[in-house]
Amino acid sequence: MPNYPDVMDKLVSLCKRRGFVFQSSEIYGGTGSVWDYGPLGVELKRNLQDRWWNAMVRQRDDIEGLDSAILMHPRVWEASGHVGGFVDPLVDCSNCKKRFRADDPKIKGTPGTPDAQCPACGMKGTLSAPRLFNLMFKTFMGPVEDTAAIIYLRPETAQGTYVNFLNVQQSTRQKIPFGIAQIGKAFRNEITPGNFIFRTREFEQMEMQFFVEPGTDMEWFEYWKAERMKWHQGLGLAHERLQYHQHTNEELAHYARAAFDVQFDFGGTLGFQEIEGIHNRGDFDLGQHQKFSGKKLEYFDHASNKRYTPFVVESAVGPNRTLLALLVNGYREEAVEGESEGRTVLGLKAALAPIKAGVFPLVKKDGMPEMAHRIANDLRNAFPVFYDDSGAIGRRYRRQDEIGTPFCITVDGESAGANTVTVRDRDTLAQERIAVDRLREYIGTRIAE
Ligand code: ATP
């Protein structure tokens, strides 16, 4: 198996320099493990989310979209098990004040005993015994900060889907099997956040819950397992960097009937890590909400005259983590023939790239800037483009390579007379001469590839 290099530090710096991702509240010294998406990052994230939304909702007639609120009735989180069970045991070091998950493999010895050694400061006997720590953020609703007003920031979008199961089913008249999909923020007070945007305390989820007749659940589980892997491959992630990880009995939640993660190889010491979870949750969630709310969440199947609580097969993927996978997968540094300076390339699939084309006049005279502006303004109606006339042309190409722009269009000495431009391909470096009238179609077709 190839050992992919660790490119994380290089990506953090590229992301800041070029406006993909900034540290939150940077001028105040930053907020712990929260990140902001800059002009290029927000485009890339939107492209990724739109691609998911199109594949899951718009291109299917058996999945409906939903956008439920972040703040929900506090009983939801009792029913879901998050109040009682969404806890990680953690240990504190009394010397360096760092916190670790109790199962951190870097801890030597048993925490709480004199032989345990802190993985950060190296002191022995300073680690506390494990204590349970709830990962949900608490806040207050209304003007009084008393216990009656405690609510939580949702740690997943799924519960908004479960509690709306009947609303969606009845308003759309969907028949089982069908799914509900949503994209939205989730918050977890993670104990060990880190690795840039891999594990943060505020993040997004793209989740789809598929409601099926009990007994057909394993068939649908296999279907979604295969479907979701194809989707990740379609993003341009290298096939050999993707794998399934089957949850062992210890990893499996008590109610889960089966669970697989889709993992991506982030390289370096991080290696293969989860980017998506596919779970067969049985009737646990709807069952719990029926119990706690006292409201029936059943489905009546007219054809078979049967009433039942559907089983759920879910797909839960993080756009932030997948975006990091795209950056890691696409990042490369290479030598350029005949040039002393190499180039950095973000090999993003054209459909996902934040900017589709750079438009340049070769020089700032002879009407070239005017023609390049006209072309850029026309193309801008169809896709995001970037006009650039500063610096040597090679520099301008390299600036676009580094942010993953798949095409660079140059207006040169021949352009005005022949009404043509050159189009340079980011990956092959090949330059083709294309008629200006054909540019939109040419780039549109290439982006769809
Ligand atoms: P992990 O084991 O890595 O904490 P999880 O199994 O708790 O993840 P799920 O609850 O299944 O994750 O959430 C689905 C997806 O949401 C994950 O595959 C991941 O892409 C994303 N995700 C979960 N937690 C975070 C986080 N703290 N920061 C960024 N993305 C996250």
Side-chain angles (χ1 to χ4, degrees), residues 188 190 198-200 203 205 274-276 279 316 318 321:
R188 295 182 188 175
E190 298 275 6
F198 178 83
R199 188 185 301 284
T200 53
F203 58 100
Q205 287 191 315
E274 168 183 342
I275 52 176
E276 160 153 8
H279 314 123
R321 216 178 262 187

Side-chain angles (χ1 to χ4, degrees), residues 255-404:
Y255 50 81
R257 299 166 68 87
F260 271 75
D261 293 338
V262 175
Q263 295 186 327
F264 172 78
D265 187 348
F266 285 86
T269 51
L270 206 51
F272 275 104
Q273 297 289 339
E274 168 183 342
I275 52 176
E276 160 153 8
I278 300 139
H279 314 123
N280 179 349
R281 300 178 62 98
D283 62 0
F284 175 77
D285 307 275
L286 291 182
Q288 285 292 96
H289 287 303
Q290 298 194 75
K291 205 155 61 179
F292 278 70
S293 69
K295 303 272 174 3
K296 285 253 171 282
L297 293 174
E298 290 176 338
Y299 174 79
F300 182 69
D301 186 339
H302 287 278
S304 63
N305 215 20
K306 274 197 295 191
R307 187 179 293 281
Y308 57 84
T309 304
F311 276 17
V312 168
V313 174
E314 82 170 1
S315 143
V317 56
N320 315 83
R321 216 178 262 187
T322 310
L323 185 146
L324 182 61
L326 290 173
L327 296 175
V328 168
N329 182 78
Y331 185 90
R332 59 179 199 264
E333 290 167 4
E334 57 190 31
V336 182
E337 221 182 276
E339 287 183 36
S340 55
E341 226 180 301
R343 66 173 190 149
T344 300
V345 186
L346 261 192
L348 298 172
K349 192 182 175 91
L352 292 168
I355 290 170
K356 307 304 182 197
V359 185
F360 318 140
L362 184 62
V363 289
K364 275 199 263 188
K365 56 180 188 188
D366 304 331
M368 289 183 211
E370 292 76 7
M371 185 170 178
H373 269 303
R374 274 200 305 278
I375 291 171
N377 287 340
D378 174 54
L379 292 180
R380 207 166 272 131
N381 293 313
F383 20 72
V385 298
F386 183 77
Y387 175 89
D388 188 5
D389 61 11
S390 68
I393 191 82
R395 263 272 146 78
R396 285 181 259 164
Y397 284 149
R398 255 175 249 127
R399 284 204 283 261
Q400 295 305 314
D401 291 343
E402 191 180 51
I403 59 168

